[in-house]
Amino acid sequence: MSILVEFSVIPIGAGVSISPLVAKALTIVAESGLPYKANPMGTVLEGEGWDAVMGVVKKCHDAMMKEGERVVTTITIDDRKGKGQRLEKKLESLEQKTGMKLKR
C-alpha cells in the first residue's frame, strides 16, 4: 500500500518570510528517508503505511509549534492498495497521456 501525503505547515505570527522555518521542516522530511518532492506551496511525501508518513508530518508540525504559539497544518492523503513509487509514476503517466514533458 502506498500513501501519498501532500502537506504544508504554516507558523502563524512568524512574519512575512517563513523560509527559515520551512527549511527546518524540510530537514525533518529529508532525514526521514522517505521519498518526497518539495514545491512552492507544500511537500508531497510517499510511504508504505499511515504511521510512516503521518509520523513525519507530526514531527514537522511539532517543530513549528516550538517556534511560536500557533501552527496551521493542511494535509491531503491519497491512499492506494497495490501501487508503489507513485511520486514519479503519476507524473510519468500524465506525460504519456499529454504527449509532453511536464515541468517538475
Side-chain angles (χ1 to χ4, degrees), residues 25-103:
L26 282 172
T27 299
I28 293 167
V29 170
E31 289 175 350
S32 76
L34 295 175
Y36 72 93
K37 286 196 180 251
N39 65 63
M41 300 297 289
T43 303
V44 180
L45 184 63
E46 182 174 13
E48 295 297 320
W50 184 269
D51 293 338
V53 292
M54 294 308 288
V56 175
V57 173
K58 183 179 182 331
K59 284 181 185 177
C60 291
H61 181 90
D62 291 347
M64 293 305 101
M65 281 302 293
K66 290 179 183 174
E67 301 293 332
E69 296 297 314
R70 187 175 182 191
V71 174
V72 174
T73 298
T74 60
I75 304 170
T76 302
I77 300 169
D78 180 352
D79 192 359
R80 184 168 179 184
K81 295 178 183 176
K83 293 284 186 175
Q85 299 178 328
R86 295 180 330 147
L87 199 58
E88 294 295 331
K89 292 189 184 281
K90 287 181 82 154
L91 292 175
E92 290 170 4
S93 174
L94 288 171
E95 288 175 338
Q96 289 176 345
K97 288 174 177 66
T98 61
M100 65 180 170
K101 194 79 171 157
L102 300 173
K103 291 184 180 183

